Amino acid sequence: MSIPSAEPNEFRESPSGNRWIAAEKPATLREKVHLGFLTARGWGLFAAGAVALLLAFLMGRRELLAIALFLLLTPLLAAFLLRFGNSELAVTRTFNPQQASTDSGVRVRLHITHKGSGAGPLTLRDTLPEDFGAGPEFRYPSRTATGGPEGSGSWYEYRLRLATRGIYSIGPVRAQVGDVFGLASRPSALDAPSALLALPVCEMLEPTGIPGEHGSHGQAASNRRLTPDSFEVMTREYRPGDTVRRIHWPATARKGTLMVRQEDYRATPRAVLMLDRSRTAFLAQGVGAEPVLKIPQFTSTPKDSSRRFEWGLHAALGIGAYLAQTGFGIDLIDHRGTSINAVSASGTEDSAELFAGPHATARMQQALAALGLEDATGERREPARATLAAALKERMRERGDRLVLILGEITEAQADTWLEVVGARSKVTVLCVANREGHLAPVISRFRQAGWAAVAVNPKSTLAGAWAELGRTS
């Protein structure tokens, strides 16, 4: 079955820069006085009835009066039935793929069905975010509409390219619902909006050594002293409050009692990735202020972002994917020690779990998809040093664990604060993102004097180049 396309230029791209709003058409006289419940044909019929009523009054003809009443009441009755009638139109919207990355397109497919009789021709328009402008229009029923015992159905399809990560609100399908004679019409939303998740692109780093890592080939496996198959060490008895996902069924069958996987960080070293979300570090204000990027949050208010924060998020995803492949369990937190899953609208359900295993990269992409800078209301609230230090201490328990700090444009005093919070740790990697990395030379010098692998980058730098430079400075 062929599926009709929306428009010749159906492939639309969302601009990654400033948002824009299409200019609205000036309101017509009918819209100003709220006369939209009748179509031009309906108003013509009503006007003819008014003229016939006037002529019947002037000429005294009763048969003309009957015609006038018919012409007057017919469009009004059509509008009444349309307003209070039951329209059984159902819309099913699907995406292919279900979660699209910002470097690829997504196909949106609509299946519209109608049960019963009395469905007149409709002009449908799917509602898109303002970045895309006006949505595509369709005619219902389509030329390839199918019929059956459950009603008639039409298929439509169009394509979108998402240039910005986030959760987009696609829909609802809006229509000017009319009667079969075309006398009355009314706007109607046929369904609810659907959420389309746009994932950030993950850059895969070359399999080189980890900056600051001392071991065989720089791999996390060199820090492991236990094997994953050791039931005695890797499992323990079930305790109230343990999640069902941690039940280890082979060990349970062997012991005859419920056994769960033991959180043994000596066997699986942890890498803590701290992504700074403070507005002061990534969104300069006043003179030289940089443009604010908007990250869609479905039907909620968009989150703020910037080019520098987008680079930092891209780096966190790429480095996290690399470390996960080398055997680390990834713990993503923000500058307040809070899990990214807890502050991102696209966070995964198992927020307490590490990003580990074969699906770690996909889960990190989902968690970071809708992440934005800290809300303006929390801009003045300084991060508590004791709270952040306690969070890092809880997350990093063994010498094999690593810490990666992705910071914005910070001052020397803030660098000293980070040195005080983190403490004496040899395996710390720092990326500072600034529009002019030369301004961060004193900060980078402080970090390197403490034995950390540190480098300053700008939004035009490549992640691979920054990662290679970190390896040279460690």
Side-chain angles (χ1 to χ4, degrees), residues 423-469:
R425 293 182 182 275
S426 60
K427 297 179 180 180
V428 179
T429 303
V430 183
L431 276 168
C432 294
V433 190
N435 290 326
R436 296 181 179 180
E437 57 267 42
H439 294 171
L440 295 178
V443 172
I444 300 301
S445 177
R446 266 179 164 78
F447 287 145
R448 290 179 178 177
Q449 289 175 2
W452 296 0
V455 68
V457 297
N458 63 66
K460 295 183 180 179
S461 304
T462 62
L463 177 58
W467 189 249
E469 185 176 353

Side-chain angles (χ1 to χ4, degrees), residues 140-393:
Y140 179 84
S142 65
R143 296 180 180 178
T144 57
T146 59
E150 298 183 356
S152 61
S154 298
W155 293 85
Y156 308 93
E157 186 177 286
Y158 62 94
R159 296 183 296 169
L160 297 174
R161 182 182 290 275
L162 309 174
T164 305
R165 60 183 178 83
I167 309 176
Y168 286 85
S169 176
I170 307 297
V173 174
R174 299 187 180 275
Q176 283 292 125
V177 183
D179 66 299
V180 293
F181 299 106
L183 301 178
S185 66
R186 66 178 178 89
S188 177
L190 305 183
D191 66 332
S194 301
L196 174 60
L197 186 62
L199 304 174
V201 179
C202 180
E203 179 180 348
M204 303 307 296
L205 297 173
E206 294 293 332
T208 58
I210 302 174
E213 182 71 39
H214 301 287
S216 60
H217 304 91
Q219 300 299 310
S222 63
N223 294 309
R224 297 181 182 177
R225 296 184 294 274
L226 301 172
T227 61
D229 297 330
S230 177
F231 292 154
E232 301 296 334
V233 177
M234 295 297 293
T235 59
R236 60 171 172 81
E237 292 186 0
Y238 178 86
R239 300 171 186 170
D242 287 335
T243 176
V244 179
R245 292 190 298 270
R246 290 195 174 277
I247 296 179
H248 196 286
W249 296 109
T252 298
R254 179 183 176 185
K255 296 289 186 180
T257 183
L258 281 178
M259 304 292 292
V260 297
R261 295 192 303 274
Q262 174 66 47
E263 285 281 359
D264 193 324
Y265 301 111
R266 295 175 300 170
T268 304
R270 173 179 295 201
V272 178
L273 266 67
M274 197 291 303
L275 177 59
D276 192 356
R277 294 177 53 240
S278 59
R279 301 173 67 89
T280 54
F282 285 101
L283 199 58
Q285 302 295 328
V287 180
E290 50 192 310
V292 179
L293 305 180
K294 296 295 184 179
I295 306 302
Q297 305 287 308
F298 193 39
T299 56
S300 302
T301 305
K303 294 286 186 180
D304 292 340
S305 181
S306 66
R307 291 178 58 216
R308 289 187 290 134
F309 183 71
E310 291 300 307
W311 198 99
L313 185 141
H314 176 74
L317 179 57
I319 296 174
Y322 175 81
L323 294 177
Q325 289 180 348
T326 58
F328 283 92
I330 308 302
D331 193 354
L332 275 173
I333 62 174
D334 68 355
H335 62 293
R336 301 191 184 280
T338 307
S339 173
I340 293 298
N341 271 319
V343 296
S344 175
S346 59
T348 55
E349 295 180 357
D350 49 349
S351 57
E353 299 286 341
L354 292 177
F355 296 97
H359 304 293
T361 301
R363 291 172 55 223
M364 281 189 289
Q365 281 183 294
Q366 179 179 342
L368 293 170
L371 185 68
L373 292 173
E374 195 173 36
D375 294 335
T377 55
E379 183 177 355
R380 298 180 180 178
R381 184 167 57 94
E382 294 295 332
R385 299 183 185 182
T387 304
L388 183 57
L392 292 177
K393 183 178 180 181

